[in-house]
Amino acid sequence: MSYTSQSVRTLKFADEEDNVFSESHSSQSMNGDQHGAMNSYLSPGQIPRKNSNLTNRTLTEEDEVIVFVDSPNKKLFCRLCDQVFKDPVIVSCGHTYCKSCVASRSDAICPVDDQRLVVMVANIAVSEQIGELMIHCKYGCYYDETLKRFIADSTKCPSTFRMNQRRDHENDCDYMPIDCPNNAGCPPLLKKDLEDHLRSCNNVHCPNKKYSCDFIGTQDELEEHLKSCRFEGMKEFLRLTDEKVTDLQMHLNQKDQEIEFLRSMLGRLSERLENMEKSVDMKLELVERNHSKIMDEILDNRKDISALTEEMSHINMRINLGATAGAYDPISMFKCKGTFVGHLGPVWCLSAMGDYLFSGSTDKTIKVWDTSSSYKCVKTLEGHSGIVLALCNYGNKLFSGSQDCNIIVWNVETYENCQVIKAHDNPVCTLVAASNMLFSGSLKIIRVYDVHTYELKKELTGLNHWVRALAATNEYLFSGSYQTVKVWNINTLECVRDLETSGGSVYSIAITNHHILCGTYENCIHVWELNSFNQLETLMGHSGTVYALAVLHTASGTKVFSASYDRSLRC
């Protein structure tokens, strides 16, 4: 029930000696669907005799009057409002209060243990106890102005019932006050008296009143009137006419709405056209003002091009000399030469073959990019129903692993789908191919397939988490999972070494001629010696997960690049 904030009569429990309720007036907000309802909690011991101070106020369906047959247990009263619980809830300290009392006191504390009131759960047990309390029908009560409360009236509805059944009874109570359906001028009636009143009511209107018939009389007079009513014979025609008029009115309203919409659109188009004209004028003016500047810049650019051409000649000479002498470091020459644009979501994996680069994305596609000259997409491979998470190539085949748990084999010469391998029960996180075998990592498992027949050869188990990184050499397979890098003999497929890490899950692995490196969830890179498996170093610097590692051999030495969630690359 929802009450506006207003003065309502409430009653609180007095001392236990006289076992009665005393009155207080308070302004508070309550929940429910009946506004401005009077809420009184009374026991039979409070019913006085009628006297001249009684009000004649008529109760309506919106009034909520609760008069208890027996005095409720004192434990069923809220300590905040001193009333029987209404929507009782348990707060964080374990005590029970009315839901509205807690909601209306944002900074209130429990009066028992001084803890802040935070609603945890509804107290269903107390609600059921209150619902079992016996009360009088509100249409069997009246308001005593002397005692300032509602009390039971033996001359009205005698019904008593459980509190949780009151709606069923009061919504259909014979003592409910109602109005005569014929005329608002009739005196107030009780529901049980309506049938008798209608027999003698002299305010019965002709059913053709809506067609301007002004007859008013009793039910018997109405029957005689209908025999001679001039509208009775025409009522079917009038009804059809009303329906047509209604339809025409609806159609007219629709047309009015369409006209208003068109007017609005015309106004917007006119405003847009005016703005475009202003924009064009401003741009033409800007073009004219900058024309001379552009011509000057063209002359300057020609001079710059001549200087750059000469500089490029010197650089080419240095490259030729440096490549022969071993002093050239390509890293110093790395610059962005092209940007590949085309995926509709984040790119999760890359694989290179010759002059072509393959990329897998959240948009469930694999794109083939030309890296030699145009830097454009030459083909889009579609087939997965989930995110493409892993790519690797072997011979003339490209293998792609996806969130859909499958591996698709592609012919890189024709870009055709050669085979779909139902690889795992969970997403395929990583792929690597070596020694005529394809290794795929997923949740706590690595599966080994023949790279030519795609036959499952073995399952590598004993892993403690997602396998997100795989790398292979001629001798070993390296797999990364939670705080562990496992080393497998690539011929026997047996685990020969566990390398422990301290940086959470392993997300990337790289192998050089002498070292093993792994990037972890906790921003660090661990380094082991390849031959002895002794840990040498932990590289710090990134502030995010190290998602990828790549090795580059140059004339000046071996370099490892790391890519991180912190949006940086480190060398």
Side-chain angles (χ1 to χ4, degrees):
M1 223 170 296
S2 177
Y3 297 79
T4 56
S5 181
Q6 57 180 315
S7 179
V8 296
R9 294 182 174 87
T10 61
L11 300 156
K12 60 182 181 180
F13 196 76
D15 52 53
E16 296 184 2
E17 295 179 0
D18 55 8
N19 196 27
V20 297
F21 300 88
S22 63
E23 183 200 41
S24 67
H25 294 274
S26 64
S27 178
Q28 58 186 320
S29 297
M30 309 171 112
N31 292 328
D33 56 4
Q34 297 173 345
H35 295 273
M38 289 189 176
N39 194 353
S40 300
Y41 303 103
L42 301 169
S43 65
Q46 299 170 263
I47 302 177
R49 296 179 179 179
K50 296 183 182 180
N51 54 51
S52 59
N53 292 324
L54 300 182
T55 181
N56 291 324
R57 180 184 181 278
T58 301
L59 291 176
T60 66
E61 293 185 28
E62 286 72 21
D63 290 322
E64 180 181 10
V65 178
I66 301 177
V67 179
F68 291 102
V69 175
D70 296 311
S71 299
N73 191 315
K74 188 175 182 179
K75 294 181 179 179
L76 297 180
F77 282 74
C78 174
R79 291 185 178 91
L80 295 178
C81 64
D82 292 330
Q83 299 183 45
V84 173
F85 287 116
K86 189 173 190 65
D87 296 330
V89 293
I90 300 174
V91 295
S92 55
C93 61
H95 295 102
T96 299
Y97 299 101
C98 299
K99 182 177 180 181
S100 60
C101 292
V102 178
S104 63
R105 296 170 170 84
S106 59
D107 56 349
I109 59 174
C110 177
V112 179
D113 52 20
D114 294 333
Q115 302 233 358
R116 188 170 177 271
L117 299 180
V118 178
V119 175
M120 302 300 292
V121 69
N123 195 330
I124 299 175
V126 172
S127 294
E128 291 177 349
Q129 291 181 51
I130 294 173
E132 293 295 320
L133 296 175
M134 297 298 292
I135 62 173
H136 291 275
C137 174
K138 72 177 180 180
Y139 300 117
C141 303
Y142 66 95
Y143 187 71
D144 190 313
E145 288 289 352
T146 302
L147 298 177
K148 301 296 183 182
R149 61 174 175 257
F150 283 93
I151 60 177
D153 186 347
S154 59
T155 64
K156 297 182 180 180
C157 180
S159 299
T160 59
F161 37 79
R162 292 184 180 89
M163 193 167 177
N164 56 17
Q165 297 173 341
R166 63 186 308 235
R167 298 295 177 215
D168 296 336
H169 170 81
E170 291 177 353
N171 289 341
D172 196 39
C173 180
D174 285 340
Y175 288 83
M176 179 193 305
I178 59 175
D179 294 325
C180 174
N182 293 327
N183 192 286
C186 292
L189 302 169
L190 297 181
K191 185 177 179 181
K192 64 185 182 68
D193 300 327
L194 177 61
E195 187 175 350
D196 293 336
H197 170 76
L198 291 177
R199 294 193 188 99
S200 59
C201 180
N202 58 0
N203 290 315
V204 180
H205 291 269
C206 176
N208 297 314
K209 177 184 178 182
K210 59 182 178 179
Y211 303 129
S212 302
C213 182
D214 54 2
F215 169 82
I216 300 176
T218 64
Q219 189 66 33
D220 293 338
E221 291 172 344
L222 174 63
E223 293 177 3
E224 286 296 323
H225 165 75
L226 289 177
K227 296 177 182 178
S228 59
C229 181
R230 56 177 175 165
F231 297 101
E232 185 67 14
M234 302 170 59
K235 65 179 181 181
E236 184 63 24
F237 169 75
L238 294 172
R239 183 184 66 78
L240 294 174
T241 302
D242 279 349
E243 291 179 357
K244 290 181 180 180
V245 170
T246 302
D247 291 341
L248 288 173
Q249 188 63 44
M250 290 177 59
H251 184 69
L252 183 60
N253 291 338
Q254 290 176 356
K255 292 301 180 183
D256 288 342
Q257 292 176 2
E258 292 175 4
I259 290 171
E260 286 299 321
F261 174 74
L262 292 174
R263 286 177 178 170
S264 175
M265 291 300 295
L266 183 59
R268 292 181 183 178
L269 289 173
S270 299
E271 183 179 357
R272 186 176 178 184
L273 179 60
E274 183 179 352
N275 291 335
M276 289 177 66
E277 288 177 350
K278 292 179 180 179
S279 177
V280 169
D281 291 341
M282 292 174 62
K283 289 179 179 178
L284 287 174
E285 183 180 353
L286 182 63
V287 168
E288 291 175 357
R289 281 192 282 109
N290 292 336
H291 178 71
S292 59
K293 294 181 180 180
I294 293 173
M295 294 304 296
D296 292 339
E297 289 177 0
I298 290 174
L299 294 175
D300 293 338
N301 287 337
R302 287 177 180 174
K303 293 178 182 179
D304 292 341
I305 290 171
S306 299
L308 287 172
T309 303
E310 185 177 354
E311 186 178 350
M312 288 296 297
S313 299
H314 292 302
I315 292 174
N316 287 330
M317 291 175 62
R318 291 176 60 191
I319 290 174
N320 294 331
L321 291 173
T324 306
Y328 166 62
D329 183 1
I331 294 177
S332 64
M333 294 297 296
F334 281 170
K335 294 182 180 179
C336 180
K337 295 183 179 181
T339 301
F340 302 125
V341 178
H343 278 299
L344 301 180
V347 176
W348 287 89
C349 51
L350 297 172
S351 181
M353 183 183 296
D355 289 334
Y356 295 99
L357 177 70
F358 303 90
S359 61
S361 169
T362 300
D363 61 15
K364 307 176 186 178
T365 68
I366 302 164
K367 289 190 178 290
V368 185
W369 309 91
D370 178 13
T371 65
S372 61
S373 58
S374 66
Y375 302 104
K376 293 183 179 179
C377 177
V378 298
K379 187 71 175 178
T380 298
L381 309 182
E382 299 180 351
H384 283 294
S385 60
I387 298 171
V388 181
L389 296 172
L391 291 172
C392 77
N393 55 277
Y394 194 88
N396 67 339
K397 296 175 183 176
L398 175 71
F399 300 90
S400 60
S402 170
Q403 185 187 31
D404 61 15
C405 310
N406 296 333
I407 299 173
I408 296 182
V409 186
W410 308 86
N411 186 314
V412 296
E413 296 175 356
T414 62
Y415 303 122
E416 293 180 352
N417 183 335
C418 303
Q419 181 81 21
V420 177
I421 305 172
K422 298 190 179 300
H424 291 277
D425 297 327
N426 293 287
V428 179
C429 296
T430 180
L431 294 171
V432 69
S435 301
N436 294 318
M437 290 179 285
L438 174 67
F439 303 89
S440 66
S442 185
L443 179 62
K444 297 184 179 181
I445 191 170
I446 300 171
R447 287 186 174 169
V448 187
Y449 296 89
D450 187 289
V451 80
H452 301 295
T453 65
Y454 319 125
E455 176 186 359
L456 178 63
K457 298 182 66 174
K458 191 170 183 178
E459 292 183 348
L460 308 184
T461 57
L463 298 135
N464 60 8
H465 207 264
W466 287 95
V467 180
R468 293 189 173 91
L470 290 174
T473 65
N474 292 332
E475 298 180 7
Y476 300 111
L477 170 71
F478 302 86
S479 64
S481 53
Y482 181 73
Q483 294 189 340
T484 305
V485 174
K486 284 186 175 289
V487 185
W488 311 80
N489 185 300
I490 205 162
N491 296 315
T492 63
L493 299 179
E494 299 293 332
C495 181
V496 297
R497 184 69 65 122
D498 284 343
L499 306 180
E500 300 296 330
T501 73
S502 60
S505 293
V506 175
Y507 275 78
S508 54
I509 297 177
I511 311 297
T512 71
N513 293 335
H514 304 289
H515 300 95
I516 307 164
L517 300 96
C518 79
T520 69
Y521 176 79
E522 295 181 359
N523 320 334
C524 61
I525 301 171
H526 295 284
V527 185
W528 292 269
E529 188 178 23
L530 181 58
N531 294 329
S532 65
F533 300 113
N534 292 327
Q535 184 166 356
L536 303 177
E537 187 68 77
T538 297
L539 308 179
M540 309 300 292
H542 282 297
S543 60
T545 301
V546 182
Y547 280 112
L549 293 169
V551 178
L552 181 66
H553 301 285
T554 71
S556 61
T558 300
K559 302 212 170 19
V560 177
F561 297 88
S562 59
S564 168
Y565 184 77
D566 62 15
R567 303 183 181 181
S568 72
L569 295 173
R570 289 179 178 259
C571 178

